[in-house]
Amino acid sequence: KAGVTQTPRYLIKTRGQQVTLSCSPISGHRSVSWYQQTPGQGLQFLFEYFSETQRNKGNFPGRFSGRQFSNSRSEMNVSTLELGDSALYLCASSLQDQSSYNSPLHFGNGTRLTVT
Amino acid sequence: QKEVEQNSGPLSVPEGAIASLNCTYSDRGSQSFFWYRQYSGKSPELIMSIYSNGDKEDGRFTAQLNKASQYVSLLIRDSQPSDSATYLCAVNLPELTFGTGTQLKVEL
């Protein structure tokens, strides 16, 4: 069974630009969650989508948004990029939503975003 | 504020020893607890899940959960150099919230 696939693997953008990251979950998984990982803050929850609906959102500004399609694939968008947005963005999928019992997350390889 | 706390380490153990990694969490209502391993430059990989008080064993790994003390731990027996990684504790709060991780170094 194929794992979680994230594209692209690496991105370099300049301040003020916007970026879209893509995630294809494990087949059959309906929940997709996004995390930001930085050396100082660790893994920070961005948002979760389940059946095309945002279920939960972390403490990030409105510049960070996402969506999920009917095939469970998800995209994350960051507008007006800032230097501090440089991070590893990880997508994870699970069978059920995060509040469900026994529904661990399975992570993709991540997208490394560098903002200059 | 809902939190998951881990000692950042590094925790150094000799090859063949038992490594003990600890984690505390803030929400008494949490139901699901996970340990992930992350090698440098890689994404987190699920190694253990635990949902009930007590111990759960899987090969060289044992997860221990004490909900009354809001404490979860991971024991790695017969530690190998390949176990050298950062270990992340994750708790549903209700979104899956990660600790900052404990760096484990297994020395020859």
Side-chain angles (χ1 to χ4, degrees):
Chain A
K1 203 179 218 184
V4 178
T5 304
Q6 290 188 247
T7 56
R9 290 295 308 276
Y10 302 93
L11 267 177
I12 300 175
K13 293 285 187 179
T14 57
R15 278 179 298 175
Q17 287 187 312
Q18 76 165 19
V19 67
T20 299
L21 312 182
S22 182
C23 173
S24 293
I26 292 171
S27 178
H29 284 195
R30 298 165 63 194
S31 170
V32 173
S33 300
W34 289 89
Y35 286 81
Q36 181 195 68
Q37 189 173 34
T38 58
Q41 297 295 318
L43 271 162
Q44 300 287 309
F45 173 72
L46 280 156
F47 28 67
E48 178 194 12
Y49 287 87
F50 182 80
S51 295
E52 302 179 66
T53 302
Q54 188 178 90
R55 283 301 185 95
N56 213 345
K57 183 173 167 57
N59 189 24
F60 279 82
R63 300 186 296 107
F64 292 81
S65 63
R67 58 178 177 169
Q68 186 181 33
F69 303 96
S70 59
N71 62 358
S72 294
R73 192 178 69 85
S74 177
E75 288 182 346
M76 189 191 99
N77 186 76
V78 188
S79 62
T80 320
L81 284 166
E82 300 177 359
L83 294 178
D85 297 333
S86 295
L88 178 66
Y89 289 88
L90 289 161
C91 168
S93 74
S94 58
L95 275 171
Q96 299 296 331
D97 67 85
Q98 284 198 27
S99 64
S100 297
Y101 182 80
N102 191 12
S103 190
L105 297 182
H106 300 271
F107 284 89
N109 289 326
T111 294
R112 174 76 61 184
L113 173 64
T114 302
V115 182
T116 61
Chain B
Q1 186 174 345
K2 297 181 177 179
E3 293 181 336
V4 178
E5 301 278 353
Q6 292 182 260
N7 189 322
S8 61
L11 172 66
S12 293
V13 300
E15 184 178 6
I18 296 175
S20 178
L21 306 161
N22 305 312
C23 172
T24 59
Y25 59 95
S26 58
D27 188 355
R28 286 188 172 273
S30 297
Q31 297 288 326
S32 302
F33 307 86
F34 306 95
W35 283 98
Y36 286 80
R37 177 177 62 199
Q38 187 172 25
Y39 292 112
S40 181
K42 302 293 186 182
S43 61
E45 169 193 14
L46 178 69
I47 54 172
M48 287 286 288
S49 60
I50 187 166
Y51 308 101
S52 305
N53 278 330
D55 294 359
K56 179 182 178 183
E57 187 174 318
D58 184 0
R60 295 187 296 113
F61 299 97
T62 299
Q64 299 174 317
L65 175 61
N66 184 328
K67 290 186 179 180
S69 300
Q70 295 173 236
Y71 177 90
V72 58
S73 64
L74 179 70
L75 300 177
I76 306 175
R77 291 182 301 280
D78 189 23
S79 295
Q80 301 297 308
S82 59
D83 295 326
S84 297
T86 296
Y87 290 79
L88 301 165
C89 172
V91 181
N92 72 319
L93 295 178
E95 70 277 3
L96 205 59
T97 301
F98 288 79
T100 52
T102 298
Q103 186 183 7
L104 174 65
K105 294 185 176 181
V106 181
E107 299 168 333
L108 295 169

